[in-house]
Coordinates of all heavy atoms in Angstrom, one line a residue:
G29 N 69.9 -73.7 -23.4 CA 70.2 -72.2 -23.7 C 68.8 -71.5 -23.2 O 68.1 -71.9 -22.4
V30 N 68.8 -70.4 -24.0 CA 67.5 -69.4 -23.5 C 66.2 -69.9 -23.8 O 65.3 -69.6 -23.2 CB 67.8 -68.1 -24.2 CG1 67.5 -68.2 -25.7 CG2 67.0 -67.0 -23.4
G31 N 66.0 -70.9 -24.8 CA 64.7 -71.5 -25.1 C 63.7 -70.5 -25.7 O 64.2 -69.3 -26.0
M32 N 62.6 -71.0 -26.0 CA 61.6 -70.2 -26.8 C 60.2 -70.4 -26.0 O 59.9 -71.5 -25.6 CB 61.4 -70.6 -28.1 CG 62.7 -70.2 -29.0 SD 62.5 -70.8 -30.8 CE 62.8 -72.5 -30.6
N33 N 59.4 -69.3 -25.9 CA 58.0 -69.5 -25.7 C 57.1 -69.5 -26.8 O 57.6 -69.6 -27.9 CB 57.6 -68.4 -24.7 CG 57.8 -66.9 -25.3 OD1 57.7 -66.9 -26.5 ND2 58.0 -66.1 -24.5
R34 N 55.8 -69.5 -26.6 CA 54.9 -69.7 -27.8 C 55.1 -68.5 -28.9 O 55.2 -68.8 -30.0 CB 53.3 -69.6 -27.3 CG 52.4 -69.5 -28.4 CD 51.0 -69.3 -27.8 NE 49.9 -69.1 -28.8 CZ 49.8 -68.0 -29.7 NH1 50.6 -67.0 -29.5 NH2 49.0 -68.0 -30.7
D35 N 55.3 -67.3 -28.4 CA 55.4 -66.2 -29.3 C 56.8 -66.3 -30.1 O 56.8 -66.0 -31.2 CB 55.4 -64.9 -28.5 CG 54.0 -64.6 -28.0 OD1 53.1 -65.1 -28.5 OD2 53.9 -63.6 -27.1
D36 N 57.8 -66.8 -29.5 CA 59.2 -67.0 -30.1 C 58.9 -68.1 -31.1 O 59.5 -67.9 -32.2 CB 60.1 -67.4 -29.0 CG 60.5 -66.4 -28.0 OD1 60.4 -65.1 -28.4 OD2 60.8 -66.6 -26.9
L37 N 58.3 -69.1 -30.9 CA 58.0 -70.2 -31.8 C 57.4 -69.7 -33.0 O 57.8 -70.0 -34.3 CB 57.3 -71.4 -31.2 CG 58.2 -72.2 -30.2 CD1 57.2 -73.1 -29.4 CD2 59.2 -73.0 -30.9
M38 N 56.3 -68.9 -32.8 CA 55.5 -68.2 -33.8 C 56.3 -67.3 -34.7 O 56.4 -67.4 -36.0 CB 54.4 -67.5 -33.3 CG 53.3 -68.3 -32.7 SD 52.1 -69.0 -33.8 CE 51.2 -67.4 -34.4
S39 N 57.2 -66.6 -34.0 CA 58.0 -65.6 -34.8 C 59.1 -66.1 -35.5 O 59.5 -65.8 -36.6 CB 58.5 -64.5 -33.7 OG 59.5 -63.8 -34.1
H40 N 59.9 -67.1 -34.9 CA 61.1 -67.5 -35.4 C 60.9 -68.7 -36.4 O 61.6 -68.8 -37.3 CB 62.0 -68.1 -34.3 CG 62.5 -67.1 -33.2 ND1 62.5 -65.7 -33.6 CD2 62.9 -67.1 -32.0 CE1 62.9 -65.0 -32.7 NE2 63.2 -65.9 -31.6
L41 N 59.8 -69.6 -36.4 CA 59.7 -70.6 -37.1 C 58.4 -70.6 -38.0 O 58.5 -71.4 -38.9 CB 59.6 -72.0 -36.2 CG 60.7 -72.2 -35.1 CD1 60.5 -73.5 -34.4 CD2 62.0 -72.2 -35.8
G42 N 57.6 -69.6 -37.8 CA 56.4 -69.5 -38.6 C 56.5 -68.5 -39.7 O 55.7 -68.3 -40.6
T43 N 57.4 -67.5 -39.4 CA 57.6 -66.4 -40.4 C 59.0 -66.2 -40.6 O 59.9 -66.8 -40.0 CB 57.0 -65.0 -39.8 OG1 57.9 -64.8 -38.6 CG2 55.6 -65.2 -39.4
I44 N 59.3 -65.4 -41.8 CA 60.8 -65.1 -42.1 C 61.1 -63.9 -41.3 O 60.7 -62.8 -41.5 CB 60.9 -64.9 -43.5 CG1 60.7 -66.2 -44.3 CG2 62.2 -64.3 -43.8 CD1 61.0 -66.0 -45.9
A45 N 61.9 -64.1 -40.3 CA 62.3 -63.1 -39.3 C 63.6 -62.4 -39.8 O 63.7 -61.3 -39.4 CB 62.4 -63.6 -37.8
R46 N 64.6 -63.2 -40.2 CA 65.7 -62.8 -40.7 C 65.8 -62.2 -42.0 O 65.4 -62.7 -43.0 CB 66.8 -63.9 -40.7 CG 67.2 -64.4 -39.3 CD 68.2 -65.5 -39.3 NE 69.3 -65.1 -40.2 CZ 70.0 -66.1 -40.8 NH1 69.7 -67.4 -40.7 NH2 71.1 -65.7 -41.6
S47 N 66.4 -61.0 -42.2 CA 66.4 -60.3 -43.5 C 67.2 -61.1 -44.5 O 67.0 -61.0 -45.6 CB 67.0 -58.9 -43.3 OG 68.3 -58.9 -42.8
G48 N 68.0 -61.8 -43.9 CA 69.0 -62.6 -44.9 C 68.1 -63.8 -45.5 O 68.3 -63.9 -46.7
T49 N 67.2 -64.3 -44.8 CA 66.3 -65.4 -45.5 C 65.4 -64.7 -46.3 O 65.1 -65.3 -47.4 CB 65.6 -66.1 -44.2 OG1 66.5 -66.5 -43.3 CG2 64.8 -67.2 -44.7
S50 N 64.8 -63.6 -46.0 CA 63.9 -62.8 -46.9 C 64.7 -62.4 -48.1 O 64.0 -62.7 -49.3 CB 63.5 -61.6 -46.2 OG 62.6 -60.8 -47.1
A51 N 65.9 -62.0 -48.1 CA 66.7 -61.8 -49.3 C 66.8 -63.1 -50.1 O 66.9 -62.9 -51.3 CB 67.9 -61.0 -48.9
F52 N 67.1 -64.2 -49.5 CA 67.2 -65.4 -50.2 C 65.9 -65.6 -51.1 O 66.1 -66.0 -52.1 CB 67.4 -66.5 -49.2 CG 67.4 -67.9 -49.7 CD1 68.4 -68.6 -50.2 CD2 66.2 -68.5 -49.8 CE1 68.3 -69.8 -50.8 CE2 66.1 -69.9 -50.4 CZ 67.1 -70.5 -50.8
M53 N 64.9 -65.4 -50.5 CA 63.5 -65.7 -51.2 C 63.5 -64.8 -52.4 O 62.9 -65.2 -53.4 CB 62.3 -65.4 -50.3 CG 62.3 -66.3 -49.1 SD 62.3 -68.1 -49.6 CE 60.8 -68.2 -50.7
E54 N 64.1 -63.6 -52.3 CA 63.8 -62.6 -53.3 C 64.7 -63.1 -54.6 O 64.6 -62.6 -55.7 CB 64.3 -61.2 -53.1 CG 63.3 -60.5 -52.1 CD 63.9 -59.2 -51.4 OE1 65.0 -58.8 -51.9 OE2 63.2 -58.6 -50.6
Q55 N 65.8 -64.0 -54.3 CA 66.7 -64.3 -55.3 C 66.1 -65.7 -56.1 O 66.6 -65.9 -57.2 CB 68.0 -64.8 -54.8 CG 68.8 -63.7 -54.1 CD 69.5 -62.7 -55.0 OE1 69.9 -63.3 -56.2 NE2 69.6 -61.5 -54.8
L56 N 65.1 -66.3 -55.6 CA 64.6 -67.4 -56.2 C 64.0 -67.1 -57.6 O 63.3 -66.2 -57.8 CB 63.5 -68.1 -55.4 CG 63.9 -68.6 -54.0 CD1 62.8 -69.3 -53.3 CD2 65.0 -69.7 -54.1
S57 N 64.3 -67.8 -58.6 CA 64.0 -67.6 -60.0 C 62.8 -68.6 -60.5 O 62.3 -68.3 -61.5 CB 65.3 -67.8 -60.8 OG 65.6 -69.1 -60.8
G58 N 62.8 -69.7 -59.8 CA 61.9 -70.7 -60.3 C 62.4 -71.8 -61.1 O 62.0 -72.9 -61.3
D59 N 63.8 -71.6 -61.4 CA 64.6 -72.7 -61.9 C 65.1 -73.5 -61.0 O 66.0 -73.0 -60.2 CB 65.6 -72.0 -62.9 CG 66.5 -73.0 -63.7 OD1 66.8 -74.1 -63.1 OD2 67.0 -72.7 -64.7
K60 N 64.8 -74.8 -60.9 CA 65.1 -75.7 -59.7 C 66.6 -75.7 -59.5 O 67.2 -75.7 -58.5 CB 64.5 -77.0 -60.0 CG 63.0 -77.0 -59.5 CD 62.5 -78.5 -59.7 CE 60.9 -78.5 -59.4 NZ 60.4 -79.9 -59.3
S61 N 67.3 -75.9 -60.7 CA 68.8 -76.1 -60.7 C 69.5 -74.9 -60.1 O 70.4 -75.0 -59.3 CB 69.4 -76.5 -61.9 OG 69.1 -75.5 -62.9
K62 N 69.1 -73.7 -60.5 CA 69.7 -72.5 -60.0 C 69.2 -72.2 -58.6 O 70.0 -71.7 -57.8 CB 69.1 -71.3 -60.9 CG 69.6 -71.3 -62.3 CD 69.2 -70.1 -63.0 CE 69.7 -70.0 -64.4 NZ 69.2 -68.9 -65.3
D63 N 67.9 -72.5 -58.2 CA 67.5 -72.2 -56.9 C 68.2 -73.2 -55.8 O 68.5 -72.8 -54.6 CB 66.0 -72.4 -56.8 CG 65.3 -71.2 -57.6 OD1 66.0 -70.3 -57.9 OD2 64.1 -71.4 -57.8
V64 N 68.5 -74.4 -56.3 CA 69.1 -75.3 -55.4 C 70.6 -74.8 -55.0 O 71.0 -74.8 -53.9 CB 69.2 -76.7 -56.0 CG1 70.4 -77.6 -55.3 CG2 67.9 -77.5 -55.9
N65 N 71.2 -74.1 -56.0 CA 72.5 -73.6 -55.7 C 72.5 -72.5 -54.7 O 73.5 -72.2 -53.9 CB 73.2 -73.1 -57.0 CG 73.5 -74.3 -57.9 OD1 73.8 -75.4 -57.4 ND2 73.7 -74.0 -59.3
L66 N 71.3 -71.7 -54.7 CA 71.1 -70.7 -53.7 C 71.2 -71.1 -52.3 O 71.5 -70.4 -51.3 CB 70.0 -69.9 -53.9 CG 69.8 -68.9 -55.3 CD1 68.5 -68.5 -55.4 CD2 70.8 -67.9 -55.2
I67 N 70.9 -72.3 -52.1 CA 70.8 -72.9 -50.6 C 72.3 -72.8 -50.3 O 72.6 -72.5 -49.0 CB 70.4 -74.3 -50.6 CG1 68.9 -74.4 -51.1 CG2 70.5 -75.0 -49.2 CD1 68.5 -75.9 -51.3
G68 N 73.2 -73.3 -51.1 CA 74.6 -73.3 -50.6 C 75.2 -71.9 -50.5 O 76.1 -71.6 -49.8
Q69 N 74.6 -71.0 -51.3 CA 75.2 -69.7 -51.3 C 74.7 -68.8 -50.2 O 75.5 -68.0 -49.5 CB 74.8 -68.9 -52.6 CG 75.4 -67.6 -52.9 CD 74.9 -67.0 -54.1 OE1 74.4 -67.6 -54.9 NE2 75.3 -65.6 -54.2

């Protein structure tokens, strides 16, 4: 496919680029059992 260059790798794999992933982080409670379920959600 389109592939990635150095900046793409830094941006896509080194930081949270997607707002959905960032929102996932905001939902984390510190309770392992609850947080594991968030993976599937």
Side-chain angles (χ1 to χ4, degrees):
V30 72
M32 293 178 282
N33 56 27
R34 176 188 175 279
D35 291 342
D36 293 332
L37 289 169
M38 292 275 292
S39 154
H40 298 335
L41 306 186
T43 63
I44 290 182
R46 287 177 52 205
S47 60
T49 307
S50 179
F52 169 89
M53 296 304 304
E54 294 172 3
Q55 295 284 330
L56 295 180
S57 64
D59 184 320
K60 287 186 177 180
S61 61
K62 292 181 180 179
D63 291 345
V64 162
N65 290 332
L66 287 174
I67 300 172
Q69 185 176 349

